[in-house]
């Protein structure tokens, strides 16, 4: 717990998710040596109320296709979805590595006009309808777009949230956990910054608006 302006705030000490960070940031800052992180090796388990048993999202292409077809009746281009998403993720990660903000021009150059329209400027609904035939697959693979912000699945650029949310490389695109809570990353990063002379300012006063 912490005390701020005379009021006590209590936080749970359990594990918290970590997945969006890039591995080179996690490693080069020294965070990887200061925190304990773990990613489960078991495939993701997806439940629907009307479905028993649940669907397991295996890593292997053939096992995943078999599972999606048997459990969800999926007959779409599963290989194409993951193949194209990896291309977009590579484009995003390259931007992280070079500290280069993505632009429409750089996206078209790296991905081509078709993938840029589908994965960058397109809608999340249009994206999953392009690759998948089953409602369950479409619902599951748009969850990251819904979770990342309060936007409609039909909104332009909402498709980009799907590869963006899978672009973290600490756990190779998967989500893992930090022992003691995700905020321990911020605390340890603050200590690392203080050790190299970074002055962190947590508040400011607006003196003039022009």
């Amino acid at each position: 717990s912490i005390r701020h302006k005379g009021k006590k705030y209590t936080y749970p000490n359990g594990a918290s998710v970590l997945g969006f960070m890039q591995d080179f940031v996690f490693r080069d800052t020294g965070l990887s040596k200061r925190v304990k992180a773990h990613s489960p090796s078991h495939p993701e388990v997806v439940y629907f109320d009307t479905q028993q048993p649940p669907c397991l999202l295996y890593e292997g292409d053939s096992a995943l296709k078999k599972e999606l077809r048997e459990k969800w009746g999926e007959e779409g281009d599963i290989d194409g979805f993951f193949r194209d998403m990896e291309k977009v993720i590579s484009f995003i990660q390259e931007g992280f590595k070079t500290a280069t903000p993505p632009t429409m021009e750089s996206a078209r150059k790296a991905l081509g006009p078709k993938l840029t329209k589908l994965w960058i400027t397109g809608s999340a609904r249009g994206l999953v309808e392009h690759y998948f035939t089953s409602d369950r697959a479409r619902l599951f693979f748009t969850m990251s777009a819904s979770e990342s912000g309060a936007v409609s699945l039909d909104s332009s650029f909402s498709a980009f949230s799907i590869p963006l949310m899978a672009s973290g490389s600490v756990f190779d695109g998967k989500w893992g956990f930090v022992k003691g809570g995700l905020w321990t990353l911020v605390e340890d990063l603050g200590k690392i910054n203080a050790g190299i002379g970074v002055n962190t300012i947590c508040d400011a006063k607006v003196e003039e608006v022009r």
Side-chain angles (χ1 to χ4, degrees), residues 3-203:
R3 186 167 293 277
H4 178 65
K5 294 184 178 181
K7 188 174 182 180
K8 184 179 180 181
Y9 296 87
T10 302
Y11 299 93
N13 293 321
S16 297
V17 294
L18 168 67
F20 192 61
M21 185 176 287
Q22 299 300 307
D23 57 352
F24 75 92
V25 175
F26 191 56
R27 182 181 62 251
D28 294 350
T29 57
L31 284 172
S32 61
K33 297 179 181 179
R34 300 177 70 108
V35 300
K36 291 184 178 180
H38 172 71
S39 181
S41 58
H42 191 280
E44 291 183 69
V45 181
V46 185
Y47 292 90
F48 283 94
D49 288 344
T50 58
Q51 176 195 353
Q52 290 293 337
C55 185
L56 303 180
L57 300 187
Y58 294 103
E59 288 293 320
D61 291 344
S62 59
L64 177 60
K65 284 193 293 185
K66 183 174 184 292
E67 184 76 355
L68 293 185
R69 284 169 179 161
E70 289 182 354
K71 300 290 179 61
W72 292 349
E74 179 55 52
E75 296 294 337
D77 188 9
I78 301 170
D79 287 334
F81 175 80
F82 287 103
R83 181 186 64 246
D84 292 341
M85 184 164 69
E86 282 303 313
K87 294 177 182 177
V88 184
I89 288 173
S90 294
F91 165 69
I92 295 170
Q93 290 177 340
E94 185 62 28
F96 281 127
K97 292 175 184 177
T98 60
T100 305
T103 64
M104 292 304 303
E105 182 181 354
S106 63
R108 292 189 185 98
K109 183 177 180 180
L111 303 171
K114 183 178 179 180
L115 289 186
T116 299
K117 183 177 180 180
L118 190 60
W119 287 87
I120 308 295
T121 64
S123 70
R125 190 188 305 275
L127 178 69
V128 295
E129 287 181 349
H130 178 83
Y131 291 97
F132 300 111
T133 60
S134 68
D135 288 340
R136 286 175 176 172
R138 290 173 176 175
L139 176 62
F140 176 78
F141 287 106
T142 53
M143 281 179 57
S144 56
S146 301
E147 292 172 349
S148 64
V151 297
S152 167
L153 296 182
D154 295 310
S155 299
S156 298
F157 293 94
S158 58
F160 186 60
S161 296
I162 296 174
L164 182 63
M165 294 296 284
S167 65
S169 56
V170 171
F171 300 121
D172 194 25
K174 303 302 179 183
W175 291 80
F177 302 90
V178 178
K179 185 177 181 180
L182 187 62
W183 50 86
T184 59
L185 287 178
V186 180
E187 293 174 347
D188 283 314
L189 189 57
K191 294 174 184 176
I192 291 171
N193 285 335
I196 60 176
V198 175
N199 181 26
T200 303
I201 300 174
C202 296
D203 58 8

